[in-house]
Amino acid sequence: YSMIIGNNSLITPNDMAVLREKGLLSHNETAIVEGDLIVALNVVTQRRRVLQVDGLLLECRKTLLRD
């Protein structure tokens, strides 16, 4: 499940866990999807940074392919 925030959406709890395990997301950050980017958002300072998630299989990046 993911939530919509404005024009952005939070990634799934499973994806958050993967990013935290890989050390890409700190304990005071959450991650959102903006277009084709995954952005870390510090909930204390509101500072944002783009995450380099190349090669990670994230649920939020899965798309349904149709003919």
Side-chain angles (χ1 to χ4, degrees):
Y1 111 94
S2 63
M3 295 175 34
I4 303 295
I5 300 177
N7 293 332
N8 308 320
S9 60
L10 287 174
I11 65 172
T12 67
N14 290 339
D15 286 347
M16 290 267 202
V18 168
L19 293 173
R20 290 191 201 292
E21 288 171 10
K22 299 288 184 185
L24 296 173
L25 204 58
S26 72
H27 70 280
N28 59 346
E29 290 179 317
T30 189
I32 57 176
V33 178
E34 287 194 18
D36 62 346
L37 300 174
I38 307 292
V39 178
L41 172 64
N42 185 308
V43 296
V44 176
T45 66
Q46 296 300 303
R47 189 167 192 184
R48 300 157 67 91
R49 61 188 176 85
V50 175
L51 297 177
Q52 299 299 321
V53 295
D54 298 335
L56 284 181
L57 182 59
L58 299 176
E59 292 174 358
C60 66
R61 294 196 130 186
K62 292 180 184 173
T63 58
L64 180 61
L65 300 177
R66 296 184 180 168
D67 291 339

